Amino acid sequence: MTAAAPSLRDALAQRLRDLLTSYQNVREVRMFGGLSFMVDERMAVAAGRNGDLLVRTDPAMYGDLLKRGGEPAYMGKDRPMGPGWLTVPYERIQDKAELEYWLKVGIDSRNASN
């Protein structure tokens, strides 16, 4: 009997765990329909069920991050979450360096006032 392949969310969550090993205070919480990663008790990112990444951002960097490949984040179909949040599509974060970049954006947002 063969084990089922991990879901896109689970695969992304494992990649995030692997990247977060150097941080002391990390915990996982189910929210926003995904698995959120809290660093020092503040949400940094969340692995979405479709393998996309929800990223907490510094609102001052929102425009630049949209140009980098982030997309506006929504609660449901029609409620924008605002400039403190972006979604990075699954296709965009297949490269380890790109995932590391977006994870750092989320972690660094702890210092922003959003």
Side-chain angles (χ1 to χ4, degrees):
M1 186 160 150
T2 322
S7 69
L8 293 175
R9 176 180 50 213
D10 292 344
L12 176 56
Q14 186 56 55
R15 291 175 64 208
L16 291 166
R17 285 182 199 107
D18 293 344
L19 293 174
L20 287 165
T21 58
S22 64
Y23 291 87
Q24 296 294 318
N25 189 14
V26 177
R27 67 185 177 98
E28 299 174 21
V29 179
R30 292 204 178 274
M31 66 171 78
F32 298 119
L35 184 61
S36 298
F37 288 81
M38 313 287 282
V39 178
D40 296 330
E41 296 304 318
R42 294 219 34 210
M43 185 183 150
V45 297
R49 67 178 150 265
N50 296 325
D52 53 341
L53 187 68
L54 178 65
V55 182
R56 186 175 181 106
T57 66
D58 177 345
M61 296 180 59
Y62 188 75
D64 291 336
L65 294 170
L66 287 172
K67 292 174 189 170
R68 172 77 188 233
E71 298 176 355
Y74 289 87
M75 290 284 289
K77 294 181 181 178
D78 59 352
R79 287 183 44 209
M81 293 178 71
W85 302 94
L86 285 171
T87 296
V88 184
Y90 168 81
E91 299 79 15
R92 185 92 182 132
I93 52 173
Q94 294 313 294
D95 179 72
K96 181 180 178 184
E98 195 68 13
L99 180 59
E100 286 173 327
Y101 171 83
W102 289 104
L103 177 58
K104 185 174 180 339
V105 168
I107 291 170
D108 289 352
S109 75
R110 295 174 300 167
N111 301 321
S113 58
N114 51 357

